[in-house]
Amino acid sequence: MDLLVKNAKIVIASETFESNIGVEDGKISSLSPSLSAQGAKEIDARGMIVVPGGIDAHTHMELPVLTTSSADDFYSGTVAAACGGITTIIDFVDSKPGQTMLDALGDYRGRADGKVVTDYGLHMMFKGQNLPEIDQIPNIVKRGVPSFKVYTAYKKRGLMLEDPDISRVMKKVAAAAGLVAVHAESETIIESLIQQNLAAGNTGAVYHARSRPAEAEAEAIARVTRLAKEAGAALYIVHLSSRAGKREVEEARTRGTRVFAETCPHYLVLTDKALERQDGRHFVMSPALKKPEDCEALWEGLREGGVIETVGSDHCPFTSAEKDWGKDDFTKIPNGVPGTEVIIPILYSEGVRKGRITVFDMVRVTSEAPARRFGLTPSKGSIALGADADFVIIDPTKQVRLTADVLHTKIDYSIYDGLTTQGYPVLTVRRGEVIMEDGEFVGKKGRGRFIPRKTVDGQN
Ligand code: URP
Ligand code: ZN
């Protein structure tokens, strides 16, 4: 045995139990209350809870946006993740102009291997430039990348696909037993509101939110879920932000569409009021922040299970200097905020402690469901014999104010500055290696691994 965690109150999605945890060769080798160290490194978890390592299925490390890249590379971004109890991320491969998807995949592997400290998987972004190589989809799936993200918006950035092309991609991905992820916002609604606002001289950050109302999300979800049903595809709606959008997912499910949704920590605890602040541009991401009743609907969705299955971060931070590009024109603000480090602290403190969700819900949406949905089981997503030894010790009494100096993302401000959380990860173990202790990264650069994922086809 290499590591023994004693007196653990273990919480998995289906139950809680007390046990010691034995770890050998990166796997959980024994679960027994009477297990002794036999010379192995020992950690006492008395008074703590131990949950499976978080799986953040939505990150953008070193993503090129406008003339810059998101602030965290695969090292600093996964250090931040590890410090928040995440042990696996799934990032999105973005092909450069003229680059094939296979070359882009190789490029991302080259950038991430050697830097990552958590394990990682990849999704493929499928943009307009990738249409001529649509037949490559099964080859990408075979390489352990069985999920493809399409966009219904961001035409100017070359990300948006027209509906007939979305439908073609859905059919190809479905034939390869993959999953189609969708950034669902209506380009038509958004563009017309942006033009109206700019023409009226409404250039402040708050007009980003006023140009991206809940209806823009709902319209796109209504459309893509119908396209998916016709194509026989399974859908994953990324970053669901509104009650209206949630309702469309629910209705599509009652029509028999295989559709699942993810929300993000910022949509749960922040509202569009933040964009009225002097530093409102720091809160610009897409979809935009909504109203308190939307936050409430998203918590409800996490509680109910099913419709909102997971919480991913959409981690994509930019420095304040980069956010300042849009001081006088909200359309020039790089879109994106940090988040991978705060998923578990926010769900525990704002969710579990405040009675909005149970601790079982938290484990389900941060670990069990993303592992199942993204083909990572049985090695990830639970604390079980033979599974990877990926787990987090949470101190339920520890209070942490989420300021920039506490968080590890490489930006100079925190959008959660006003939030003090109670219940915080104090130790993270990834495949048996302690990588975070008392808020500091203690692992080694590059020790994370690429995890090729199985196809799951939305069946489970
Ligand atoms: O605002 C968001 N969601 N940023 C993430 C990166 C992108 O542009 O999709
Ligand atoms: Zn994203």
Side-chain angles (χ1 to χ4, degrees):
M1 200 192 320
D2 308 317
L3 174 68
L4 175 76
V5 180
K6 286 193 313 191
N7 305 312
K9 180 175 184 233
I10 298 169
V11 183
I12 56 173
S14 54
E15 61 174 321
T16 175
F17 56 100
E18 297 196 7
S19 180
N20 293 353
I21 306 173
V23 174
E24 203 166 319
D25 293 333
K27 304 262 183 209
I28 295 176
S29 55
S30 32
L31 281 171
S32 154
S34 56
L35 199 61
S36 61
Q38 301 154 11
K41 178 182 164 73
E42 226 178 285
I43 295 166
D44 192 351
R46 190 177 299 277
M48 312 280 158
I49 65 167
V50 185
V51 300
I55 297 171
D56 181 356
H58 190 158
T59 65
H60 299 283
M61 306 307 177
E62 41 194 289
L63 175 76
V65 174
L66 304 174
T67 53
T68 185
S69 291
S70 54
D72 282 315
D73 67 5
F74 278 97
Y75 177 61
S76 65
T78 53
V79 166
C83 291
I86 302 293
T87 51
T88 305
I89 63 160
I90 312 181
D91 206 89
F92 288 84
V93 175
D94 183 16
S95 31
K96 293 182 193 146
Q99 193 179 36
T100 65
M101 289 188 288
L102 278 174
D103 283 349
L105 178 55
D107 197 6
Y108 264 69
R109 290 288 313 275
R111 279 198 258 158
D113 293 335
K115 285 192 204 150
V116 282
V117 307
T118 63
D119 285 344
Y120 78 104
L122 292 167
H123 310 279
M124 181 61 63
M125 278 164 64
F126 194 103
K127 313 189 283 192
Q129 73 167 43
N130 307 119
L131 283 165
E133 39 163 0
I134 192 168
D135 290 335
Q136 285 300 319
I137 284 175
N139 278 335
I140 309 278
V141 172
K142 271 190 216 133
R143 285 168 169 76
V145 180
S147 40
F148 294 78
K149 177 157 90 164
V150 297
Y151 287 76
T152 62
Y154 285 134
K155 194 170 191 164
K156 286 182 189 143
R157 274 175 60 194
L159 296 175
M160 180 182 138
L161 292 186
E162 301 292 344
D163 289 352
D165 294 327
I166 290 180
S167 186
R168 284 174 62 210
V169 173
M170 285 177 171
K171 286 177 183 163
K172 276 278 173 205
V173 174
L179 186 65
V180 179
V182 187
H183 176 124
E185 286 189 293
S186 164
E187 178 78 0
T188 308
I189 295 176
I190 292 168
E191 260 313 301
S192 81
L193 288 172
I194 288 176
Q195 294 319 322
Q196 273 175 40
N197 276 318
L198 291 179
N202 297 331
T203 55
V206 73
Y207 291 98
H208 172 78
R210 295 193 186 153
S211 303
R212 300 181 106 95
E215 280 313 308
E217 181 170 77
E219 188 280 333
I221 294 175
R223 192 157 29 97
V224 293
T225 49
R226 284 175 165 88
L227 294 178
K229 180 147 190 240
E230 190 272 329
L235 273 197
Y236 182 76
I237 306 292
V238 294
H239 48 47
L240 186 76
S241 66
S242 66
R243 183 181 287 279
K246 175 178 173 248
R247 200 172 298 129
E248 292 298 338
V249 177
E250 279 160 1
E251 286 178 11
R253 286 164 66 92
T254 61
R255 292 192 296 270
T257 311
R258 287 175 297 152
V259 53
F260 319 94
E262 159 203 270
T263 191
C264 309
H266 38 277
Y267 299 123
L268 292 166
V269 295
L270 297 172
T271 68
D272 58 357
K273 270 259 160 242
L275 286 102
E276 292 172 16
R277 291 168 38 154
Q278 212 202 343
D279 60 353
R281 56 193 171 278
H282 294 173
F283 298 82
V284 165
M285 81 297 286
S286 292
L289 295 172
K290 302 289 189 309
K291 308 284 178 202
E293 56 268 29
D294 295 292
C295 303
E296 220 27 71
L298 299 173
W299 283 113
E300 250 168 57
L302 296 179
R303 208 161 44 236
E304 289 158 359
V307 176
I308 305 181
E309 226 187 10
T310 60
V311 176
S313 66
D314 198 7
H315 183 87
C316 190
F318 296 95
T319 63
S320 60
E322 289 162 342
K323 290 283 190 184
D324 283 353
W325 296 342
K327 245 186 184 147
D328 304 317
D329 176 351
F330 69 88
T331 65
K332 297 196 165 60
I333 305 170
N335 284 202
V337 293
T340 192
E341 190 169 0
V342 299
I343 295 176
I344 290 176
I346 285 181
L347 285 183
Y348 190 82
S349 184
E350 293 293 306
V352 177
R353 277 185 58 81
K354 294 196 170 167
R356 289 167 161 145
I357 57 172
T358 66
V359 71
F360 303 109
D361 295 330
M362 182 189 88
V363 171
R364 189 185 70 246
V365 302
T366 57
S367 189
E368 186 270 339
R372 179 166 39 78
R373 181 62 51 220
F374 291 106
L376 292 165
T377 53
S379 52
K380 308 281 187 200
S382 192
I383 296 177
L385 278 181
D388 285 357
D390 292 348
F391 52 83
V392 192
I393 300 182
I394 296 176
D395 178 348
T397 65
K398 183 167 178 174
Q399 293 196 349
V400 176
R401 183 168 160 208
L402 301 177
T403 53
D405 58 327
V406 166
L407 299 173
H408 292 76
T409 175
K410 285 196 123 35
I411 57 171
D412 51 326
Y413 61 92
S414 166
I415 60 169
Y416 296 108
D417 207 300
L419 189 62
T420 299
T421 52
Q422 181 174 335
Y424 211 84
V426 290
L427 191 120
T428 304
V429 176
R430 188 261 304 120
R431 276 185 293 101
E433 288 179 21
V434 177
I435 55 172
M436 181 275 283
E437 216 168 341
D438 288 330
E440 290 313 321
F441 174 64
V442 294
K444 287 204 181 73
K445 190 171 180 176
R447 297 276 296 171
R449 276 192 200 147
F450 175 67
I451 311 286
R453 295 182 292 117
K454 298 178 294 199
T455 55
V456 287
D457 194 20
Q459 296 296 353
N460 49 2

